[in-house]
Short mmCIF file of all heavy atoms in Angstrom, two decimals:
data_model
loop_
_atom_site.label_atom_id
_atom_site.label_comp_id
_atom_site.label_asym_id
_atom_site.label_seq_id
_atom_site.Cartn_x
_atom_site.Cartn_y
_atom_site.Cartn_z
N LEU A 48 -4.05 -18.32 27.37
CA LEU A 48 -2.63 -18.59 27.20
C LEU A 48 -1.87 -17.96 28.35
O LEU A 48 -2.18 -16.84 28.77
CB LEU A 48 -2.08 -18.01 25.89
CG LEU A 48 -2.19 -18.92 24.68
CD1 LEU A 48 -3.63 -19.07 24.26
CD2 LEU A 48 -1.34 -18.40 23.56
N VAL A 49 -0.90 -18.69 28.84
CA VAL A 49 0.06 -18.17 29.82
C VAL A 49 1.42 -18.35 29.15
O VAL A 49 1.80 -19.49 28.81
CB VAL A 49 -0.02 -18.92 31.16
CG1 VAL A 49 0.98 -18.36 32.15
CG2 VAL A 49 -1.44 -18.86 31.72
N VAL A 50 2.11 -17.25 28.93
CA VAL A 50 3.37 -17.27 28.19
C VAL A 50 4.45 -16.68 29.09
O VAL A 50 4.31 -15.57 29.59
CB VAL A 50 3.26 -16.45 26.90
CG1 VAL A 50 4.57 -16.47 26.12
CG2 VAL A 50 2.09 -16.94 26.04
N SER A 51 5.52 -17.44 29.30
CA SER A 51 6.61 -16.94 30.14
C SER A 51 7.87 -16.72 29.31
O SER A 51 8.14 -17.44 28.36
CB SER A 51 6.90 -17.92 31.28
OG SER A 51 7.38 -19.14 30.78
N LEU A 52 8.60 -15.68 29.72
CA LEU A 52 9.89 -15.36 29.13
C LEU A 52 10.80 -14.90 30.26
O LEU A 52 10.32 -14.37 31.27
CB LEU A 52 9.77 -14.22 28.11
CG LEU A 52 8.82 -14.44 26.94
CD1 LEU A 52 7.61 -13.56 27.09
CD2 LEU A 52 9.53 -14.16 25.65
N VAL A 53 12.09 -15.08 30.08
CA VAL A 53 13.07 -14.59 31.05
C VAL A 53 14.02 -13.67 30.30
O VAL A 53 14.73 -14.12 29.38
CB VAL A 53 13.83 -15.73 31.75
CG1 VAL A 53 14.84 -15.16 32.73
CG2 VAL A 53 12.85 -16.66 32.46
N ALA A 54 14.03 -12.41 30.68
CA ALA A 54 14.87 -11.41 30.02
C ALA A 54 16.33 -11.55 30.45
O ALA A 54 16.62 -11.95 31.59
CB ALA A 54 14.38 -10.01 30.36
N LYS A 55 17.21 -11.22 29.54
CA LYS A 55 18.62 -11.08 29.91
C LYS A 55 18.70 -9.88 30.86
O LYS A 55 18.13 -8.83 30.57
CB LYS A 55 19.48 -10.81 28.68
CG LYS A 55 19.48 -11.93 27.68
CD LYS A 55 20.28 -11.53 26.44
CE LYS A 55 20.27 -12.65 25.41
NZ LYS A 55 20.98 -12.25 24.16
N PRO A 56 19.36 -10.00 32.01
CA PRO A 56 19.40 -8.88 32.95
C PRO A 56 19.87 -7.57 32.32
O PRO A 56 19.34 -6.50 32.61
CB PRO A 56 20.36 -9.35 34.04
CG PRO A 56 20.25 -10.84 33.99
CD PRO A 56 20.04 -11.18 32.54
N GLU A 57 20.83 -7.67 31.41
CA GLU A 57 21.37 -6.45 30.81
C GLU A 57 20.45 -5.84 29.74
O GLU A 57 20.67 -4.70 29.31
CB GLU A 57 22.76 -6.72 30.20
CG GLU A 57 22.76 -7.67 29.02
CD GLU A 57 22.81 -9.15 29.37
OE1 GLU A 57 22.61 -9.53 30.54
OE2 GLU A 57 23.05 -9.94 28.44
N THR A 58 19.41 -6.56 29.34
CA THR A 58 18.48 -6.02 28.34
C THR A 58 17.05 -5.96 28.87
O THR A 58 16.11 -5.86 28.08
CB THR A 58 18.50 -6.87 27.05
OG1 THR A 58 17.99 -8.17 27.34
CG2 THR A 58 19.88 -6.95 26.43
N GLN A 59 16.87 -5.99 30.17
CA GLN A 59 15.52 -6.06 30.74
C GLN A 59 14.63 -4.91 30.26
O GLN A 59 13.49 -5.13 29.85
CB GLN A 59 15.56 -6.09 32.26
CG GLN A 59 14.17 -6.23 32.86
CD GLN A 59 14.19 -6.29 34.36
OE1 GLN A 59 15.21 -6.55 34.97
NE2 GLN A 59 13.05 -6.06 34.95
N LYS A 60 15.12 -3.68 30.32
CA LYS A 60 14.31 -2.53 29.91
C LYS A 60 13.94 -2.66 28.42
O LYS A 60 12.78 -2.46 28.04
CB LYS A 60 15.06 -1.24 30.17
CG LYS A 60 14.28 0.00 29.82
CD LYS A 60 15.07 1.23 30.18
CE LYS A 60 14.41 2.44 29.90
NZ LYS A 60 13.85 3.34 29.45
N GLU A 61 14.90 -2.99 27.58
CA GLU A 61 14.64 -3.16 26.16
C GLU A 61 13.70 -4.33 25.91
O GLU A 61 12.86 -4.27 25.00
CB GLU A 61 15.94 -3.36 25.39
CG GLU A 61 16.86 -2.16 25.40
CD GLU A 61 17.80 -2.09 26.60
OE1 GLU A 61 17.68 -2.93 27.54
OE2 GLU A 61 18.64 -1.20 26.64
N ALA A 62 13.83 -5.39 26.70
CA ALA A 62 12.95 -6.55 26.56
C ALA A 62 11.49 -6.15 26.82
O ALA A 62 10.59 -6.55 26.08
CB ALA A 62 13.39 -7.66 27.51
N GLU A 63 11.28 -5.38 27.87
CA GLU A 63 9.92 -4.94 28.17
C GLU A 63 9.38 -4.06 27.06
O GLU A 63 8.23 -4.20 26.66
CB GLU A 63 9.88 -4.23 29.52
CG GLU A 63 10.07 -5.17 30.68
CD GLU A 63 9.97 -4.51 32.04
OE1 GLU A 63 9.50 -3.34 32.11
OE2 GLU A 63 10.36 -5.14 33.02
N GLU A 64 10.19 -3.15 26.54
CA GLU A 64 9.75 -2.28 25.45
C GLU A 64 9.42 -3.11 24.21
O GLU A 64 8.44 -2.85 23.51
CB GLU A 64 10.82 -1.24 25.15
CG GLU A 64 10.96 -0.22 26.26
CD GLU A 64 12.16 0.70 26.12
OE1 GLU A 64 12.91 0.58 25.11
OE2 GLU A 64 12.36 1.53 27.01
N PHE A 65 10.24 -4.12 23.94
CA PHE A 65 10.02 -5.03 22.82
C PHE A 65 8.64 -5.68 22.93
O PHE A 65 7.89 -5.77 21.95
CB PHE A 65 11.15 -6.07 22.84
CG PHE A 65 11.01 -7.21 21.90
CD1 PHE A 65 11.31 -7.07 20.56
CD2 PHE A 65 10.63 -8.47 22.37
CE1 PHE A 65 11.22 -8.16 19.68
CE2 PHE A 65 10.53 -9.56 21.50
CZ PHE A 65 10.83 -9.39 20.15
N LEU A 66 8.27 -6.13 24.14
CA LEU A 66 6.98 -6.78 24.35
C LEU A 66 5.83 -5.78 24.36
O LEU A 66 4.75 -6.07 23.85
CB LEU A 66 7.00 -7.60 25.63
CG LEU A 66 8.00 -8.77 25.64
CD1 LEU A 66 8.01 -9.43 27.01
CD2 LEU A 66 7.70 -9.77 24.54
N ILE A 67 6.06 -4.61 24.93
CA ILE A 67 5.02 -3.58 24.94
C ILE A 67 4.61 -3.22 23.52
O ILE A 67 3.44 -2.96 23.24
CB ILE A 67 5.49 -2.34 25.74
CG1 ILE A 67 5.51 -2.68 27.24
CG2 ILE A 67 4.62 -1.12 25.46
CD1 ILE A 67 6.22 -1.65 28.11
N ASP A 68 5.57 -3.24 22.60
CA ASP A 68 5.27 -2.92 21.20
C ASP A 68 4.32 -3.93 20.56
O ASP A 68 3.73 -3.65 19.51
CB ASP A 68 6.56 -2.83 20.38
CG ASP A 68 7.36 -1.58 20.68
OD1 ASP A 68 6.81 -0.63 21.28
OD2 ASP A 68 8.55 -1.54 20.30
N LEU A 69 4.16 -5.10 21.15
CA LEU A 69 3.24 -6.10 20.62
C LEU A 69 1.80 -5.86 21.06
O LEU A 69 0.87 -6.43 20.47
CB LEU A 69 3.67 -7.50 21.07
CG LEU A 69 5.06 -7.97 20.64
CD1 LEU A 69 5.37 -9.31 21.28
CD2 LEU A 69 5.16 -8.03 19.13
N LEU A 70 1.60 -5.05 22.09
CA LEU A 70 0.26 -4.89 22.67
C LEU A 70 -0.73 -4.29 21.68
O LEU A 70 -1.79 -4.87 21.44
CB LEU A 70 0.33 -4.08 23.95
CG LEU A 70 1.10 -4.71 25.11
CD1 LEU A 70 1.19 -3.75 26.28
CD2 LEU A 70 0.48 -6.03 25.54
N ALA A 71 -0.44 -3.12 21.14
CA ALA A 71 -1.41 -2.43 20.28
C ALA A 71 -1.82 -3.26 19.06
O ALA A 71 -3.02 -3.41 18.80
CB ALA A 71 -0.89 -1.05 19.87
N PRO A 72 -0.86 -3.80 18.28
CA PRO A 72 -1.32 -4.58 17.12
C PRO A 72 -2.10 -5.83 17.52
O PRO A 72 -3.03 -6.23 16.81
CB PRO A 72 -0.05 -4.92 16.36
CG PRO A 72 1.08 -4.67 17.29
CD PRO A 72 0.60 -3.69 18.31
N THR A 73 -1.75 -6.44 18.63
CA THR A 73 -2.47 -7.64 19.06
C THR A 73 -3.85 -7.29 19.58
O THR A 73 -4.83 -7.97 19.28
CB THR A 73 -1.66 -8.42 20.11
OG1 THR A 73 -0.40 -8.79 19.52
CG2 THR A 73 -2.39 -9.66 20.57
N HIS A 74 -3.95 -6.20 20.34
CA HIS A 74 -5.27 -5.78 20.83
C HIS A 74 -6.23 -5.50 19.68
O HIS A 74 -7.45 -5.65 19.84
CB HIS A 74 -5.14 -4.53 21.71
CG HIS A 74 -4.52 -4.80 23.03
ND1 HIS A 74 -4.03 -3.79 23.84
CD2 HIS A 74 -4.29 -5.95 23.71
CE1 HIS A 74 -3.52 -4.30 24.93
NE2 HIS A 74 -3.68 -5.62 24.89
N ALA A 75 -5.71 -5.11 18.52
CA ALA A 75 -6.55 -4.80 17.37
C ALA A 75 -6.99 -6.04 16.59
O ALA A 75 -7.85 -5.94 15.71
CB ALA A 75 -5.80 -3.85 16.43
N GLU A 76 -6.45 -7.20 16.92
CA GLU A 76 -6.76 -8.41 16.19
C GLU A 76 -8.13 -8.97 16.56
O GLU A 76 -8.53 -8.95 17.73
CB GLU A 76 -5.71 -9.50 16.47
CG GLU A 76 -4.37 -9.21 15.87
CD GLU A 76 -3.39 -10.32 16.16
OE1 GLU A 76 -3.68 -11.48 15.84
OE2 GLU A 76 -2.33 -10.01 16.72
N GLU A 77 -8.81 -9.51 15.55
CA GLU A 77 -10.06 -10.21 15.79
C GLU A 77 -9.78 -11.41 16.70
O GLU A 77 -8.81 -12.13 16.51
CB GLU A 77 -10.67 -10.69 14.48
CG GLU A 77 -11.97 -11.40 14.65
CD GLU A 77 -12.57 -11.92 13.35
OE1 GLU A 77 -11.95 -11.72 12.28
OE2 GLU A 77 -13.64 -12.54 13.42
N GLY A 78 -10.62 -11.59 17.69
CA GLY A 78 -10.48 -12.74 18.59
C GLY A 78 -9.69 -12.47 19.85
O GLY A 78 -9.74 -13.27 20.78
N CYS A 79 -8.96 -11.36 19.90
CA CYS A 79 -8.20 -11.03 21.10
C CYS A 79 -9.14 -10.45 22.15
O CYS A 79 -9.71 -9.38 21.97
CB CYS A 79 -7.10 -10.02 20.78
SG CYS A 79 -6.16 -9.50 22.24
N LEU A 80 -9.30 -11.16 23.25
CA LEU A 80 -10.15 -10.71 24.35
C LEU A 80 -9.33 -10.15 25.50
O LEU A 80 -9.83 -9.34 26.28
CB LEU A 80 -11.02 -11.87 24.84
CG LEU A 80 -11.89 -12.54 23.77
CD1 LEU A 80 -12.58 -13.76 24.34
CD2 LEU A 80 -12.89 -11.54 23.20
N LEU A 81 -8.09 -10.61 25.62
CA LEU A 81 -7.18 -10.14 26.66
C LEU A 81 -5.77 -10.44 26.19
O LEU A 81 -5.49 -11.55 25.70
CB LEU A 81 -7.45 -10.85 27.99
CG LEU A 81 -6.50 -10.52 29.14
CD1 LEU A 81 -6.76 -9.12 29.66
CD2 LEU A 81 -6.64 -11.54 30.26
N TYR A 82 -4.89 -9.47 26.32
CA TYR A 82 -3.48 -9.65 25.98
C TYR A 82 -2.74 -8.72 26.92
O TYR A 82 -2.60 -7.53 26.65
CB TYR A 82 -3.25 -9.29 24.51
CG TYR A 82 -1.92 -9.71 23.95
CD1 TYR A 82 -1.67 -11.04 23.62
CD2 TYR A 82 -0.92 -8.78 23.70
CE1 TYR A 82 -0.46 -11.43 23.07
CE2 TYR A 82 0.29 -9.16 23.15
CZ TYR A 82 0.51 -10.48 22.83
OH TYR A 82 1.71 -10.86 22.28
N SER A 83 -2.33 -9.26 28.07
CA SER A 83 -1.79 -8.41 29.12
C SER A 83 -0.40 -8.88 29.53
O SER A 83 -0.12 -10.08 29.57
CB SER A 83 -2.73 -8.39 30.33
OG SER A 83 -2.89 -9.69 30.85
N LEU A 84 0.45 -7.92 29.83
CA LEU A 84 1.86 -8.17 30.13
C LEU A 84 2.11 -7.94 31.61
O LEU A 84 1.61 -6.97 32.18
CB LEU A 84 2.69 -7.20 29.28
CG LEU A 84 4.19 -7.33 29.27
CD1 LEU A 84 4.63 -8.70 28.80
CD2 LEU A 84 4.79 -6.24 28.37
N HIS A 85 2.90 -8.82 32.22
CA HIS A 85 3.17 -8.75 33.65
C HIS A 85 4.64 -9.06 33.93
O HIS A 85 5.26 -9.84 33.22
CB HIS A 85 2.30 -9.76 34.42
CG HIS A 85 0.85 -9.63 34.10
ND1 HIS A 85 0.02 -8.79 34.79
CD2 HIS A 85 0.11 -10.22 33.14
CE1 HIS A 85 -1.19 -8.86 34.27
NE2 HIS A 85 -1.17 -9.72 33.26
N ARG A 86 5.14 -8.48 34.99
CA ARG A 86 6.52 -8.71 35.45
C ARG A 86 6.44 -9.28 36.85
O ARG A 86 5.65 -8.82 37.68
CB ARG A 86 7.26 -7.36 35.45
CG ARG A 86 8.52 -7.31 36.19
CD ARG A 86 9.10 -5.88 36.36
NE ARG A 86 8.85 -4.93 35.30
CZ ARG A 86 8.06 -3.85 35.42
NH1 ARG A 86 7.42 -3.59 36.55
NH2 ARG A 86 7.90 -3.02 34.42
N GLU A 87 7.26 -10.30 37.14
CA GLU A 87 7.29 -10.86 38.49
C GLU A 87 7.88 -9.86 39.47
O GLU A 87 8.85 -9.16 39.15
CB GLU A 87 8.10 -12.16 38.53
CG GLU A 87 7.33 -13.34 38.02
CD GLU A 87 7.97 -14.67 38.35
OE1 GLU A 87 8.75 -14.76 39.33
OE2 GLU A 87 7.68 -15.63 37.62
N VAL A 88 7.33 -9.81 40.65
CA VAL A 88 7.78 -8.88 41.68
C VAL A 88 9.13 -9.30 42.24
O VAL A 88 10.04 -8.49 42.39
CB VAL A 88 6.73 -8.76 42.81
CG1 VAL A 88 7.26 -7.94 43.98
CG2 VAL A 88 5.44 -8.16 42.26
N GLU A 89 9.27 -10.58 42.55
CA GLU A 89 10.52 -11.07 43.17
C GLU A 89 11.69 -11.16 42.20
O GLU A 89 12.84 -11.06 42.60
CB GLU A 89 10.27 -12.43 43.83
CG GLU A 89 9.27 -12.40 44.95
CD GLU A 89 9.69 -11.52 46.13
OE1 GLU A 89 10.89 -11.49 46.46
OE2 GLU A 89 8.81 -10.85 46.69
N ASP A 90 11.39 -11.40 40.94
CA ASP A 90 12.44 -11.50 39.91
C ASP A 90 11.93 -10.81 38.65
O ASP A 90 11.29 -11.42 37.80
CB ASP A 90 12.78 -12.96 39.62
CG ASP A 90 13.88 -13.11 38.58
OD1 ASP A 90 14.32 -12.08 38.00
OD2 ASP A 90 14.30 -14.25 38.33
N PRO A 91 12.21 -9.51 38.51
CA PRO A 91 11.66 -8.75 37.39
C PRO A 91 12.16 -9.15 36.01
O PRO A 91 11.65 -8.66 35.01
CB PRO A 91 12.02 -7.31 37.72
CG PRO A 91 13.10 -7.38 38.72
CD PRO A 91 12.96 -8.68 39.44
N THR A 92 13.14 -10.07 35.92
CA THR A 92 13.53 -10.57 34.61
C THR A 92 12.51 -11.57 34.07
O THR A 92 12.51 -11.88 32.88
CB THR A 92 14.93 -11.23 34.62
OG1 THR A 92 14.91 -12.39 35.44
CG2 THR A 92 15.99 -10.25 35.09
#
Side-chain angles (χ1 to χ4, degrees):
L48 272 70
V49 180
V50 180
S51 65
L52 302 109
V53 179
K55 296 176 182 177
E57 66 275 12
T58 66
Q59 183 179 343
K60 182 177 181 303
E61 294 87 354
E63 289 183 13
E64 291 170 2
F65 171 79
L66 296 175
I67 288 168
D68 287 344
L69 300 175
L70 296 175
T73 301
H74 288 164
E76 290 181 55
E77 181 182 0
C79 177
L80 304 174
L81 176 72
Y82 193 76
S83 60
L84 187 58
H85 307 271
R86 165 190 328 112
E87 281 194 23
V88 173
E89 297 298 322
D90 181 354
T92 65

